[in-house]
Amino acid sequence: MMNEILHVGLYDLVLQDVQKVVGKEKPTKEELEEALEKEPQILRDYMQTNVEYNLSNIHLKNIDLERVDASVKEKAEKINHNLETMREIEKYTLDFEHSSTLVLIFSLEFFVLFSVQYFIVLLDLGEWQWWIYAFFSLSIVAAWWYAKKQQKKYQVNNARYKALYEETLALIDSLEKEGYIKKEDLYIEESDEHI
């Protein structure tokens, strides 16, 4: 993550925030770490950038089950399962208000609005305008209902993601303390691997 913020152009806006916090054009990894501690919003911006560009914020590989002792295979399978689930629901970690789902809903409503105007004015359907406006009103209600449903889905999956994150971290720490794995061996070092 630190290498990406410091060296990958996709994260230039995040880097600019870091530069403001540390007061330097080229911050070091240590200064970046300090900036992340001072301003947690920088990390959230990094994570949001990843999700918006369909990149994963999970920088861990699955555990190679063939290389794990049979006595902890169940824990390793649970970790892998949790990582897969987290990758699937990661898009719900964004605030719903900043999600592409909400943009899509608004876009569809604008399309319906322009269609309503088209039917009334250009097709000279003035005598049907109340029915057309009623349809438009129903579409607003449907869009509102769908947005509320999606907002709830974001909340539920975001909470699920956080719970899985904590559980997975505890399992990894447990296996590392017991000497079965090294967390460093699970880190994804290359940007393309966490897409």
Side-chain angles (χ1 to χ4, degrees):
M1 175 202 65
M2 289 190 190
N3 282 333
E4 289 175 349
I5 291 174
L6 293 174
H7 304 294
V8 177
L10 176 64
Y11 305 101
D12 280 350
L13 291 175
V14 177
L15 178 60
Q16 289 173 8
D17 291 341
V18 172
Q19 290 168 335
K20 287 177 191 170
V21 171
V22 299
K24 286 175 67 178
E25 176 100 12
K26 296 201 183 265
T28 64
K29 285 185 181 181
E30 292 78 22
E31 291 168 332
L32 172 56
E33 191 171 350
E34 287 176 28
L36 290 171
E37 288 175 16
K38 282 183 192 173
E39 298 288 333
Q41 182 61 38
I42 294 171
L43 181 58
R44 286 192 292 274
D45 290 344
Y46 167 82
M47 293 173 73
Q48 181 162 338
T49 300
N50 280 342
V51 173
E52 287 172 355
Y53 284 91
N54 294 320
L55 300 171
S56 179
N57 284 310
I58 301 166
H59 290 75
L60 293 176
K61 302 174 193 170
N62 285 0
I63 296 174
D64 185 357
L65 297 174
E66 293 178 11
R67 294 183 170 197
V68 173
D69 191 86
S71 64
V72 293
K73 198 167 203 157
E74 194 174 307
K75 277 185 179 179
E77 286 173 346
K78 181 68 174 165
I79 290 169
N80 288 351
H81 180 275
N82 286 359
L83 288 172
E84 289 302 321
T85 303
M86 288 166 49
R87 288 181 189 109
E88 288 173 18
I89 64 174
E90 188 172 20
K91 64 183 175 187
Y92 298 107
T93 59
L94 288 178
D95 291 334
F96 178 69
E97 291 77 24
H98 298 110
S99 71
S100 60
T101 305
L102 195 58
V103 171
L104 178 65
I105 292 169
F106 280 125
S107 299
L108 286 173
E109 274 309 297
F110 279 120
F111 174 74
V112 171
L113 174 64
F114 288 120
S115 297
V116 163
Q117 290 301 92
Y118 173 78
F119 284 122
I120 293 172
V121 177
L122 295 177
L123 296 178
D124 196 27
L125 296 175
E127 66 273 5
W128 293 92
Q129 74 182 352
W130 293 112
W131 289 105
I132 295 170
Y133 282 129
F135 171 75
F136 177 63
S137 298
L138 285 175
S139 76
I140 290 174
V141 170
W144 177 84
W145 172 80
Y146 182 73
K148 285 296 182 186
K149 185 177 174 183
Q150 289 298 307
Q151 185 177 30
K152 180 71 174 169
K153 188 176 185 179
Y154 271 73
Q155 290 170 344
V156 167
N157 282 313
N158 192 5
R160 184 175 172 212
Y161 181 92
K162 288 177 182 175
L164 284 172
Y165 176 83
E166 293 300 325
E167 178 186 15
T168 305
L169 196 57
L171 287 168
I172 290 172
D173 287 343
S174 162
L175 289 181
E176 187 173 38
K177 284 178 186 170
E178 294 169 11
Y180 291 107
I181 63 169
K182 289 183 182 175
K183 196 185 299 183
E184 295 84 35
D185 294 342
L186 300 177
Y187 290 152
I188 294 174
E189 299 294 332
E190 295 295 321
S191 296
D192 335 338
E193 288 188 53
H194 77 280
I195 292 177

